[in-house]
Amino acid sequence: MKNILKLGLISAITAIALAQTPSAIQTQAMDEDVLAIASKGALSDKMQGFRKLADDEAGSIFGGLAYYPSRCTSCEYGYPDQYNFLSYFTSYYPMALTSSERSSRKLNIGAGDSSSDYSEFANLADSYGRVFIRLEVDFRTNTTRQSIVNSSGQAIGNSAFTSRLVNFTRSYYLDQFGRDRAQFTRERGYY
């Protein structure tokens, strides 16, 4: 009986799909207002303040925090082993609230927009000034560490919030960290 119902449902879906003639498909607007459809008319991409992002702009948007993944040579440290292979490397990447996060007073670090996460990060920034994520790799022991630090490189308390912040932000910096490590190695003549 279940197989017959499944077959009937598949047949009905197929019939509906085949009923869409090419001319009917072509008459549908190619420039549909997806925002209006998704919000059931509450929002529209035609509203003031909305604009379509270019591909390069869209690729730089992340959920939560403003990331600065550019190379900071004064924020790097590393040294070679006895054979001139890079044995340790660390780099710091600054984080800050975006203007939209400051105006909404909400922060998204993987669990949706949250006022309490915003307050936690704002308190860190107020207490320590600039806030960084520090990524480090020790090739001698095959260990990696990530932590939230202040501008002096001192670790900022290990709380549930900082743990979640590390887990959320490190993915945005891993590629840059690899590029920075390779550049650092080349510049110093390490292997």
Side-chain angles (χ1 to χ4, degrees):
M1 183 68 174
K2 287 183 181 179
N3 290 338
I4 293 172
L5 289 174
K6 286 180 187 176
L7 182 59
L9 182 60
I10 292 171
S11 298
I13 292 170
T14 305
I16 291 169
L18 291 175
Q20 284 274 353
T21 62
S23 61
I25 292 171
Q26 288 174 357
T27 58
Q28 290 177 342
M30 295 302 287
D31 193 25
E32 289 186 55
D33 188 349
V34 177
L35 189 57
I37 293 168
S39 67
K40 297 185 178 168
L43 298 171
S44 170
D45 62 10
K46 312 254 184 307
M47 296 172 79
Q48 183 178 0
F50 284 89
R51 70 178 178 88
K52 183 176 180 181
L53 297 176
D55 289 340
D56 60 329
E57 291 174 312
S60 67
I61 301 299
F62 301 113
L65 292 177
Y67 301 98
Y68 304 97
S70 59
R71 184 158 185 245
C72 172
T73 55
S74 63
C75 306
E76 300 173 333
Y77 175 73
Y79 54 84
D81 63 11
Q82 62 190 9
Y83 304 107
N84 210 34
F85 285 97
L86 185 65
S87 62
Y88 176 84
F89 180 73
T90 187
S91 188
Y92 297 72
Y93 300 96
M95 296 180 291
L97 294 167
T98 64
S99 58
S100 63
E101 288 162 345
R102 284 190 298 273
S103 65
S104 70
R105 302 186 60 80
K106 292 188 178 183
L107 176 64
N108 179 357
I109 58 168
D113 289 339
S114 168
S115 307
S116 61
D117 285 347
Y118 173 88
S119 296
E120 290 267 0
F121 189 86
N123 288 339
L124 288 179
D126 289 344
S127 299
Y128 297 99
R130 295 185 70 193
V131 178
F132 299 81
I133 182 170
R134 177 178 61 201
L135 302 176
E136 57 186 304
V137 61
D138 189 335
F139 295 104
R140 298 165 302 172
T141 59
N142 267 347
T143 57
T144 60
R145 284 184 292 242
Q146 306 86 30
S147 54
I148 303 297
V149 298
N150 63 15
S151 57
S152 301
Q154 298 167 327
I156 295 174
N158 190 12
S159 66
F161 173 74
T162 56
S163 295
R164 286 189 307 112
L165 186 59
V166 164
N167 289 333
F168 184 72
T169 56
R170 74 173 162 214
S171 62
Y172 293 110
Y173 291 111
L174 286 178
D175 286 342
Q176 185 65 38
F177 180 76
R179 287 190 295 271
D180 291 347
R181 181 181 56 83
Q183 183 68 25
F184 181 87
T185 303
R186 279 191 301 276
E187 287 173 354
R188 289 174 176 67
Y190 303 150
Y191 300 109

